[in-house]
Amino acid sequence: MRYLIMLICLSLSSFAFGQRTDTVDTKIVFSVDRLPEFKGGSATWQQFLSRTIDLNRTLEEMDSTQYVDFGVRQTAILEFTVCEDGLVCDIKVLNKDKISPAFAAEAVRVMKKSPKWQPAMKDNKPVRTRFRQNIVAVLEE
């Protein structure tokens, strides 16, 4: 009887460890067959930006020295991860020292509101990859 109980316990433990779990692959794939793309293409991306970005708040937060330091036309270079399901995460501004802090914060805020993208593809499967996207603003009152 003791051996039977031990055998049952061992078989249950191997069953629990042997089950397949659906885990998310967090590996970033750098060599892809197709790059990620905003759903609807560049025209839809521009529409999303124009609806979502709030440059008035950026202008309010900038002082006159920041206009001199960073200029009226600023480009935020963003790098982020597009996951297999199209979600955007891990957003970084690569050129923080070349744009105003207010515009950098606004660019990140906008990217966080982004709807799902079409993910990158490798061997006909969606994969997680890093992507760069510029956001250009002309900050004039």
Side-chain angles (χ1 to χ4, degrees), residues 59-95:
L59 285 167
E60 290 170 5
E61 292 180 24
M62 287 180 63
D63 60 29
S64 59
T65 60
Q66 288 181 336
Y67 278 107
V68 173
D69 292 343
F70 303 113
V72 174
R73 186 174 195 269
Q74 298 181 32
T75 302
I77 302 171
L78 302 174
E79 185 176 79
F80 49 91
T81 299
V82 178
C83 297
E84 300 91 339
D85 62 359
L87 285 175
V88 172
C89 64
D90 301 326
I91 304 161
K92 292 180 177 53
V93 179
L94 299 181
N95 62 335

Side-chain angles (χ1 to χ4, degrees), residues 9-141:
C9 288
L10 284 175
S11 65
L12 287 176
S13 65
S14 65
F15 175 73
F17 289 115
Q19 278 201 345
R20 182 176 172 263
T21 58
D22 291 327
T23 57
V24 175
D25 185 6
T26 58
K27 180 178 70 173
I28 302 289
V29 178
F30 291 99
S31 175
V32 297
D33 300 330
R34 191 188 81 206
L35 292 172
E37 182 181 30
F38 190 81
K39 288 185 179 178
S42 60
T44 308
W45 168 251
Q46 291 301 322
Q47 290 171 358
F48 166 75
L49 281 180
S50 65
R51 280 191 327 265
T52 312
I53 200 161
D54 183 3
L55 295 179
N56 291 327
R57 182 171 44 188
T58 301
L59 285 167
E60 290 170 5
E61 292 180 24
M62 287 180 63
D63 60 29
S64 59
T65 60
Q66 288 181 336
Y67 278 107
V68 173
D69 292 343
F70 303 113
V72 174
R73 186 174 195 269
Q74 298 181 32
T75 302
I77 302 171
L78 302 174
E79 185 176 79
F80 49 91
T81 299
V82 178
C83 297
E84 300 91 339
D85 62 359
L87 285 175
V88 172
C89 64
D90 301 326
I91 304 161
K92 292 180 177 53
V93 179
L94 299 181
N95 62 335
K96 277 186 180 180
D97 58 333
K98 296 192 181 349
I99 61 175
S100 71
F103 181 53
E106 181 61 12
V108 169
R109 185 192 72 79
V110 167
M111 280 309 303
K112 285 181 178 180
K113 289 187 161 281
S114 174
K116 288 184 177 184
W117 286 49
Q118 292 175 350
M121 300 294 282
K122 177 73 174 179
D123 300 326
N124 292 323
K125 294 181 184 174
V127 294
R128 178 183 300 242
T129 193
R130 295 291 287 170
F131 191 73
R132 286 188 184 176
Q133 180 68 54
N134 294 348
I135 297 179
V136 179
V138 179
L139 302 169
E140 295 178 338
E141 292 188 59

